[in-house]
Amino acid sequence: LNRSSILMEILGLLTCLLTSPKFTKKVKKLVLLFLFLVSVSYMAWKINYKAIEWRYEQTEESYRLENWRRLTAGRYFIWKKAWELFLENPIIGIGLGSFPYRYSLRTGDCGRAVHNAYLKFLVETGIIGFLFFIYIIVSLGLIAFKTKFFKHISLAIWVSFSFMIFTHELLRAKDFWFGSAVILALYYITNRRK
């Protein structure tokens, strides 16, 4: 697991907690306070202060030198090249799955992933495919919101994935498809009860 995955899982759990009708406001506040205290305690116990100081100095130097490639682990550069590719063919894109090849032709670097599902669809399928992708994501969100029972679980999954795909390409990941299936299953199972 990487940092953004852990952060999105926490965001999903908090969404689940805050949207659940089974918890009273007092219980929600206690759970949030507990999570905060555990987080602070864990950071105080586990943090390597020299590593944080080094990271801070590296970040400060990167800002000063405007070295966005280093500062964003290369994503800024990749996203910039992806945007350039999109502008060359904005209507229908460069072709699904073509980004790594086209990126390597443009930069001489090995083929890379876009690390952003929204941008990936925009570059590879153009505006037409991107709008279809957004339709799917929004539809999943609406289905999660319309789920009668377990709405908090559906919303938690949807919120996690909606934000996580800004920094990852979850469309190939089993977790994304499994989560989508859970949202749909909860909707159809719970909304059939009448």
Side-chain angles (χ1 to χ4, degrees), residues 77-96:
F77 183 75
I78 294 168
W79 292 348
K80 185 176 175 184
K81 294 301 175 189
W83 185 253
E84 290 171 8
L85 285 170
F86 164 71
L87 292 176
E88 289 175 10
N89 203 346
I91 304 300
I92 61 171
I94 62 172
L96 195 57

PDB file of all heavy atoms in Angstrom, residues 77-96:
ATOM      1  N   PHE A  77       5.738  16.169 -14.883  1.00  0.00           N
ATOM      2  CA  PHE A  77       6.298  16.037 -16.225  1.00  0.00           C
ATOM      3  C   PHE A  77       5.442  15.112 -17.093  1.00  0.00           C
ATOM      4  O   PHE A  77       5.136  15.421 -18.244  1.00  0.00           O
ATOM      5  CB  PHE A  77       7.732  15.505 -16.137  1.00  0.00           C
ATOM      6  CG  PHE A  77       8.423  15.388 -17.458  1.00  0.00           C
ATOM      7  CD1 PHE A  77       8.893  16.514 -18.107  1.00  0.00           C
ATOM      8  CD2 PHE A  77       8.592  14.147 -18.045  1.00  0.00           C
ATOM      9  CE1 PHE A  77       9.534  16.406 -19.330  1.00  0.00           C
ATOM     10  CE2 PHE A  77       9.228  14.034 -19.268  1.00  0.00           C
ATOM     11  CZ  PHE A  77       9.702  15.171 -19.917  1.00  0.00           C
ATOM     12  N   ILE A  78       5.042  13.981 -16.519  1.00  0.00           N
ATOM     13  CA  ILE A  78       4.209  13.023 -17.256  1.00  0.00           C
ATOM     14  C   ILE A  78       2.877  13.661 -17.621  1.00  0.00           C
ATOM     15  O   ILE A  78       2.403  13.546 -18.751  1.00  0.00           O
ATOM     16  CB  ILE A  78       3.995  11.733 -16.428  1.00  0.00           C
ATOM     17  CG1 ILE A  78       5.321  11.002 -16.245  1.00  0.00           C
ATOM     18  CG2 ILE A  78       2.963  10.828 -17.074  1.00  0.00           C
ATOM     19  CD1 ILE A  78       5.274   9.886 -15.227  1.00  0.00           C
ATOM     20  N   TRP A  79       2.247  14.355 -16.674  1.00  0.00           N
ATOM     21  CA  TRP A  79       0.955  14.989 -16.939  1.00  0.00           C
ATOM     22  C   TRP A  79       1.082  16.102 -17.974  1.00  0.00           C
ATOM     23  O   TRP A  79       0.190  16.296 -18.798  1.00  0.00           O
ATOM     24  CB  TRP A  79       0.360  15.539 -15.653  1.00  0.00           C
ATOM     25  CG  TRP A  79      -0.061  14.462 -14.686  1.00  0.00           C
ATOM     26  CD1 TRP A  79      -0.178  13.122 -14.940  1.00  0.00           C
ATOM     27  CD2 TRP A  79      -0.414  14.627 -13.326  1.00  0.00           C
ATOM     28  NE1 TRP A  79      -0.584  12.453 -13.820  1.00  0.00           N
ATOM     29  CE2 TRP A  79      -0.733  13.352 -12.802  1.00  0.00           C
ATOM     30  CE3 TRP A  79      -0.476  15.718 -12.479  1.00  0.00           C
ATOM     31  CZ2 TRP A  79      -1.120  13.150 -11.491  1.00  0.00           C
ATOM     32  CZ3 TRP A  79      -0.862  15.516 -11.180  1.00  0.00           C
ATOM     33  CH2 TRP A  79      -1.187  14.248 -10.689  1.00  0.00           C
ATOM     34  N   LYS A  80       2.203  16.819 -17.948  1.00  0.00           N
ATOM     35  CA  LYS A  80       2.436  17.874 -18.936  1.00  0.00           C
ATOM     36  C   LYS A  80       2.540  17.264 -20.336  1.00  0.00           C
ATOM     37  O   LYS A  80       1.937  17.768 -21.292  1.00  0.00           O
ATOM     38  CB  LYS A  80       3.719  18.627 -18.578  1.00  0.00           C
ATOM     39  CG  LYS A  80       4.007  19.814 -19.445  1.00  0.00           C
ATOM     40  CD  LYS A  80       5.250  20.532 -18.939  1.00  0.00           C
ATOM     41  CE  LYS A  80       5.624  21.657 -19.863  1.00  0.00           C
ATOM     42  NZ  LYS A  80       6.864  22.302 -19.457  1.00  0.00           N
ATOM     43  N   LYS A  81       3.280  16.161 -20.459  1.00  0.00           N
ATOM     44  CA  LYS A  81       3.404  15.488 -21.757  1.00  0.00           C
ATOM     45  C   LYS A  81       2.062  14.898 -22.190  1.00  0.00           C
ATOM     46  O   LYS A  81       1.710  14.905 -23.371  1.00  0.00           O
ATOM     47  CB  LYS A  81       4.479  14.396 -21.714  1.00  0.00           C
ATOM     48  CG  LYS A  81       5.879  14.937 -21.501  1.00  0.00           C
ATOM     49  CD  LYS A  81       6.253  15.908 -22.591  1.00  0.00           C
ATOM     50  CE  LYS A  81       7.597  16.544 -22.332  1.00  0.00           C
ATOM     51  NZ  LYS A  81       7.910  17.640 -23.228  1.00  0.00           N
ATOM     52  N   ALA A  82       1.305  14.392 -21.236  1.00  0.00           N
ATOM     53  CA  ALA A  82      -0.020  13.847 -21.559  1.00  0.00           C
ATOM     54  C   ALA A  82      -0.927  14.951 -22.091  1.00  0.00           C
ATOM     55  O   ALA A  82      -1.660  14.753 -23.069  1.00  0.00           O
ATOM     56  CB  ALA A  82      -0.646  13.198 -20.320  1.00  0.00           C
ATOM     57  N   TRP A  83      -0.873  16.113 -21.465  1.00  0.00           N
ATOM     58  CA  TRP A  83      -1.691  17.233 -21.928  1.00  0.00           C
ATOM     59  C   TRP A  83      -1.296  17.651 -23.343  1.00  0.00           C
ATOM     60  O   TRP A  83      -2.155  17.945 -24.172  1.00  0.00           O
ATOM     61  CB  TRP A  83      -1.574  18.409 -20.959  1.00  0.00           C
ATOM     62  CG  TRP A  83      -2.473  19.537 -21.323  1.00  0.00           C
ATOM     63  CD1 TRP A  83      -2.113  20.733 -21.858  1.00  0.00           C
ATOM     64  CD2 TRP A  83      -3.902  19.560 -21.215  1.00  0.00           C
ATOM     65  NE1 TRP A  83      -3.219  21.510 -22.083  1.00  0.00           N
ATOM     66  CE2 TRP A  83      -4.336  20.812 -21.690  1.00  0.00           C
ATOM     67  CE3 TRP A  83      -4.850  18.659 -20.759  1.00  0.00           C
ATOM     68  CZ2 TRP A  83      -5.671  21.178 -21.725  1.00  0.00           C
ATOM     69  CZ3 TRP A  83      -6.187  19.031 -20.786  1.00  0.00           C
ATOM     70  CH2 TRP A  83      -6.590  20.267 -21.264  1.00  0.00           C
ATOM     71  N   GLU A  84       0.003  17.665 -23.620  1.00  0.00           N
ATOM     72  CA  GLU A  84       0.465  17.995 -24.978  1.00  0.00           C
ATOM     73  C   GLU A  84      -0.080  16.987 -25.986  1.00  0.00           C
ATOM     74  O   GLU A  84      -0.512  17.369 -27.077  1.00  0.00           O
ATOM     75  CB  GLU A  84       1.991  18.018 -25.031  1.00  0.00           C
ATOM     76  CG  GLU A  84       2.618  19.173 -24.285  1.00  0.00           C
ATOM     77  CD  GLU A  84       4.135  19.054 -24.162  1.00  0.00           C
ATOM     78  OE1 GLU A  84       4.736  18.148 -24.793  1.00  0.00           O
ATOM     79  OE2 GLU A  84       4.720  19.872 -23.427  1.00  0.00           O
ATOM     80  N   LEU A  85      -0.061  15.709 -25.628  1.00  0.00           N
ATOM     81  CA  LEU A  85      -0.599  14.673 -26.521  1.00  0.00           C
ATOM     82  C   LEU A  85      -2.102  14.860 -26.719  1.00  0.00           C
ATOM     83  O   LEU A  85      -2.619  14.667 -27.819  1.00  0.00           O
ATOM     84  CB  LEU A  85      -0.307  13.277 -25.973  1.00  0.00           C
ATOM     85  CG  LEU A  85       1.130  12.795 -26.130  1.00  0.00           C
ATOM     86  CD1 LEU A  85       1.352  11.516 -25.327  1.00  0.00           C
ATOM     87  CD2 LEU A  85       1.457  12.569 -27.590  1.00  0.00           C
ATOM     88  N   PHE A  86      -2.802  15.224 -25.661  1.00  0.00           N
ATOM     89  CA  PHE A  86      -4.241  15.466 -25.780  1.00  0.00           C
ATOM     90  C   PHE A  86      -4.517  16.607 -26.757  1.00  0.00           C
ATOM     91  O   PHE A  86      -5.411  16.506 -27.602  1.00  0.00           O
ATOM     92  CB  PHE A  86      -4.858  15.789 -24.416  1.00  0.00           C
ATOM     93  CG  PHE A  86      -6.215  16.422 -24.510  1.00  0.00           C
ATOM     94  CD1 PHE A  86      -7.315  15.686 -24.919  1.00  0.00           C
ATOM     95  CD2 PHE A  86      -6.386  17.769 -24.213  1.00  0.00           C
ATOM     96  CE1 PHE A  86      -8.567  16.273 -25.030  1.00  0.00           C
ATOM     97  CE2 PHE A  86      -7.637  18.363 -24.313  1.00  0.00           C
ATOM     98  CZ  PHE A  86      -8.726  17.608 -24.726  1.00  0.00           C
ATOM     99  N   LEU A  87      -3.764  17.682 -26.649  1.00  0.00           N
ATOM    100  CA  LEU A  87      -3.989  18.846 -27.501  1.00  0.00           C
ATOM    101  C   LEU A  87      -3.754  18.536 -28.987  1.00  0.00           C
ATOM    102  O   LEU A  87      -4.332  19.195 -29.851  1.00  0.00           O
ATOM    103  CB  LEU A  87      -3.105  20.018 -27.067  1.00  0.00           C
ATOM    104  CG  LEU A  87      -3.463  20.626 -25.707  1.00  0.00           C
ATOM    105  CD1 LEU A  87      -2.466  21.714 -25.330  1.00  0.00           C
ATOM    106  CD2 LEU A  87      -4.881  21.148 -25.688  1.00  0.00           C
ATOM    107  N   GLU A  88      -2.951  17.515 -29.268  1.00  0.00           N
ATOM    108  CA  GLU A  88      -2.705  17.131 -30.662  1.00  0.00           C
ATOM    109  C   GLU A  88      -3.912  16.437 -31.283  1.00  0.00           C
ATOM    110  O   GLU A  88      -4.110  16.490 -32.490  1.00  0.00           O
ATOM    111  CB  GLU A  88      -1.490  16.218 -30.758  1.00  0.00           C
ATOM    112  CG  GLU A  88      -0.186  16.925 -30.489  1.00  0.00           C
ATOM    113  CD  GLU A  88       0.998  15.968 -30.479  1.00  0.00           C
ATOM    114  OE1 GLU A  88       0.843  14.784 -30.863  1.00  0.00           O
ATOM    115  OE2 GLU A  88       2.083  16.409 -30.069  1.00  0.00           O
ATOM    116  N   ASN A  89      -4.700  15.757 -30.458  1.00  0.00           N
ATOM    117  CA  ASN A  89      -5.856  15.035 -30.981  1.00  0.00           C
ATOM    118  C   ASN A  89      -6.981  15.047 -29.934  1.00  0.00           C
ATOM    119  O   ASN A  89      -7.289  14.013 -29.337  1.00  0.00           O
ATOM    120  CB  ASN A  89      -5.453  13.601 -31.340  1.00  0.00           C
ATOM    121  CG  ASN A  89      -6.365  12.989 -32.354  1.00  0.00           C
ATOM    122  OD1 ASN A  89      -7.441  13.504 -32.617  1.00  0.00           O
ATOM    123  ND2 ASN A  89      -5.941  11.885 -32.923  1.00  0.00           N
ATOM    124  N   PRO A  90      -7.597  16.205 -29.715  1.00  0.00           N
ATOM    125  CA  PRO A  90      -8.524  16.337 -28.590  1.00  0.00           C
ATOM    126  C   PRO A  90      -9.877  15.644 -28.751  1.00  0.00           C
ATOM    127  O   PRO A  90     -10.502  15.298 -27.759  1.00  0.00           O
ATOM    128  CB  PRO A  90      -8.717  17.850 -28.474  1.00  0.00           C
ATOM    129  CG  PRO A  90      -8.430  18.372 -29.829  1.00  0.00           C
ATOM    130  CD  PRO A  90      -7.398  17.468 -30.420  1.00  0.00           C
ATOM    131  N   ILE A  91     -10.327  15.407 -29.951  1.00  0.00           N
ATOM    132  CA  ILE A  91     -11.670  14.853 -30.140  1.00  0.00           C
ATOM    133  C   ILE A  91     -11.703  13.349 -29.890  1.00  0.00           C
ATOM    134  O   ILE A  91     -12.515  12.866 -29.094  1.00  0.00           O
ATOM    135  CB  ILE A  91     -12.208  15.164 -31.559  1.00  0.00           C
ATOM    136  CG1 ILE A  91     -12.182  16.663 -31.826  1.00  0.00           C
ATOM    137  CG2 ILE A  91     -13.612  14.594 -31.733  1.00  0.00           C
ATOM    138  CD1 ILE A  91     -13.018  17.487 -30.876  1.00  0.00           C
ATOM    139  N   ILE A  92     -10.835  12.588 -30.546  1.00  0.00           N
ATOM    140  CA  ILE A  92     -10.878  11.129 -30.403  1.00  0.00           C
ATOM    141  C   ILE A  92      -9.662  10.546 -29.695  1.00  0.00           C
ATOM    142  O   ILE A  92      -9.575   9.348 -29.473  1.00  0.00           O
ATOM    143  CB  ILE A  92     -11.073  10.429 -31.763  1.00  0.00           C
ATOM    144  CG1 ILE A  92      -9.924  10.757 -32.709  1.00  0.00           C
ATOM    145  CG2 ILE A  92     -12.415  10.771 -32.355  1.00  0.00           C
ATOM    146  CD1 ILE A  92      -9.934   9.939 -33.984  1.00  0.00           C
ATOM    147  N   GLY A  93      -8.699  11.369 -29.319  1.00  0.00           N
ATOM    148  CA  GLY A  93      -7.552  10.907 -28.557  1.00  0.00           C
ATOM    149  C   GLY A  93      -6.513  10.184 -29.393  1.00  0.00           C
ATOM    150  O   GLY A  93      -6.602  10.115 -30.621  1.00  0.00           O
ATOM    151  N   ILE A  94      -5.539   9.626 -28.706  1.00  0.00           N
ATOM    152  CA  ILE A  94      -4.422   8.952 -29.376  1.00  0.00           C
ATOM    153  C   ILE A  94      -4.617   7.443 -29.466  1.00  0.00           C
ATOM    154  O   ILE A  94      -3.798   6.751 -30.047  1.00  0.00           O
ATOM    155  CB  ILE A  94      -3.085   9.264 -28.670  1.00  0.00           C
ATOM    156  CG1 ILE A  94      -3.085   8.751 -27.229  1.00  0.00           C
ATOM    157  CG2 ILE A  94      -2.788  10.748 -28.727  1.00  0.00           C
ATOM    158  CD1 ILE A  94      -1.756   8.846 -26.521  1.00  0.00           C
ATOM    159  N   GLY A  95      -5.677   6.936 -28.872  1.00  0.00           N
ATOM    160  CA  GLY A  95      -5.951   5.497 -28.903  1.00  0.00           C
ATOM    161  C   GLY A  95      -5.799   4.877 -27.531  1.00  0.00           C
ATOM    162  O   GLY A  95      -4.813   5.145 -26.837  1.00  0.00           O
ATOM    163  N   LEU A  96      -6.765   4.072 -27.168  1.00  0.00           N
ATOM    164  CA  LEU A  96      -6.765   3.448 -25.847  1.00  0.00           C
ATOM    165  C   LEU A  96      -5.526   2.578 -25.666  1.00  0.00           C
ATOM    166  O   LEU A  96      -5.212   1.733 -26.498  1.00  0.00           O
ATOM    167  CB  LEU A  96      -8.039   2.616 -25.667  1.00  0.00           C
ATOM    168  CG  LEU A  96      -8.379   2.196 -24.250  1.00  0.00           C
ATOM    169  CD1 LEU A  96      -8.496   3.407 -23.341  1.00  0.00           C
ATOM    170  CD2 LEU A  96      -9.667   1.417 -24.222  1.00  0.00           C
TER     171      LEU A  96
END
